[in-house]
Amino acid sequence: MTAPGRRTPGSLIETFAGLHLRRLGGWIAVADLIAVLAPAGVGGPAVRQALVRIKARGLLAAQSRGGVAGYLLTGAGAADLARGDGRIFRYGAFDADVSAGWVLAVFSVPETDRAARHRLRAELTWLGFGTVGPGVWVAPANLAAPAREQLRDADLDRFVTWFTGHGPDPAPVAQWWDLAGLAAMYRDFLGDWETGGRVDPDSPAVRPATDGRVFADHLHLVDHWRQFPRLDPGLPIGLLPADWPGAAAWRVFSSLHTRWSTPATRYVDTVVRPTPPAG
C-alpha cells in the first residue's frame, strides 16, 4: 500500500494551509509562501507549479491584494480542512463499534465514464473503505455518514447504493483491507520519527534561526501523518494483529506535534507579513 502525494510540494502546501493559513486569515502572498517553505526544501518554481494544480482542485483561489499576488483559501477548501482536523489530530476518533455492524457501498459506473470510476475508487480508499469484491466496498458503519457526505460533495454518490448490516463473525478484515501494507506504512513512519526530533525546541539555541528547522520538521511530520486517518478504517483492536503499530505511531506523532507546534508557529509569524485587506 502506497499513499500518493505525501511530502510533495503540493501536499506540503495543503498541510501548511491546514496548520497555518486559516490562522493567518486565509490569504497569503505567493512570495511569502515561497519564503516560509524554504526550510522545508520546497523551492519557488515547485511552489508556483503546485499552486496551479491546487487551484484547479478548488482548495485555493488566486487573489491579488494591494497589488501583491497571492492565494485565498476557498470555502470548499476550508470545509475540507475542517473535516480533516477531527481525524488527523484524534487517533481512534472513528474507532468502530463491533456491534454497530458495517456499511456496504455498491457502485456501478458506466464504461464510458472511467474517470468517475477511478475517482470513486480513490475516494472510497481515502475514506477508509476496504474491498469485498468488484464494485462492493465495506467500512465500519460509523463511517457511513461522512462517506455519503463526501461522495455527495464530489458528485459521486449517484453511482452508489448503500447497505448497512452485520457480516460474518469473525469479519475477514485481512481480506477486505491491506492490513500488512498499512502496518508497513506505520512502521515506516516510526522509522522516520520514533528517534525524536531533529531539533529540540526547548533548547535555548533554538530561536530565532532554528525555528525554521523546527517548522520544517513539523510540516513534514504532519504531512506524513495525515495519510493515516484516511487509510486506517479504525477497526476495533480485537480485529487487528497483535503487533499492530498504529497506536505507537500515534504516540510518537502527538508527542512531536505538541513539542514543535509553538516554535513552528513562531517561525511562520516572523516570515509571513500581515494580510492586507481584500479589495
Side-chain angles (χ1 to χ4, degrees), residues 16-229:
F16 176 85
L19 289 170
H20 301 287
L21 190 56
R22 288 171 291 182
R23 181 181 59 82
L24 294 170
W27 183 92
I28 190 169
V30 174
D32 284 354
L33 183 60
I34 291 171
V36 81
L37 291 177
V42 186
V47 169
R48 295 182 187 278
Q49 291 170 13
L51 284 171
V52 172
R53 292 190 292 270
I54 294 171
K55 175 186 174 183
R57 289 176 34 231
L59 178 69
L60 300 174
Q63 184 186 86
S64 293
R65 293 191 177 186
V68 177
Y71 278 80
L72 177 72
L73 181 65
T74 65
D80 186 58
L81 294 177
R83 280 195 298 267
D85 286 345
R87 300 188 71 177
I88 293 170
F89 300 107
R90 290 175 59 202
Y91 179 81
F94 286 81
D95 274 354
D97 176 359
V98 178
S99 65
W102 305 91
V103 58
L104 286 180
V106 181
F107 67 84
S108 177
V109 183
E111 276 294 325
T112 54
D113 202 349
R114 293 183 180 180
R117 182 185 293 113
H118 175 76
R119 286 174 52 224
L120 182 54
R121 288 172 175 164
E123 289 284 351
L124 288 170
T125 298
W126 283 100
L127 284 163
F129 278 67
T131 309
V132 176
V136 182
W137 291 60
V138 65
N142 55 317
L143 291 181
R148 297 185 73 165
E149 178 184 357
Q150 189 156 326
L151 293 184
R152 184 169 57 249
D153 290 346
D155 192 30
L156 294 170
D157 61 316
R158 55 199 168 96
F159 300 115
V160 181
T161 302
W162 300 91
F163 299 90
T164 57
H166 294 269
D169 186 16
V173 294
Q175 298 175 26
W176 297 344
W177 284 273
D178 181 8
L179 295 183
L182 183 57
M185 290 172 61
Y186 274 128
R187 293 189 180 100
D188 285 344
F189 179 90
L190 286 167
D192 283 351
W193 301 102
E194 192 171 21
T195 55
R198 284 80 167 156
V199 177
D200 180 359
D202 297 322
S203 166
V206 161
R207 103 178 111 247
T210 311
D211 283 353
R213 293 168 54 204
V214 180
F215 161 81
D217 278 350
H218 185 240
L219 187 70
H220 281 278
L221 171 79
V222 177
D223 193 64
H224 195 169
W225 175 261
R226 71 183 179 94
Q227 64 189 315
F228 292 113

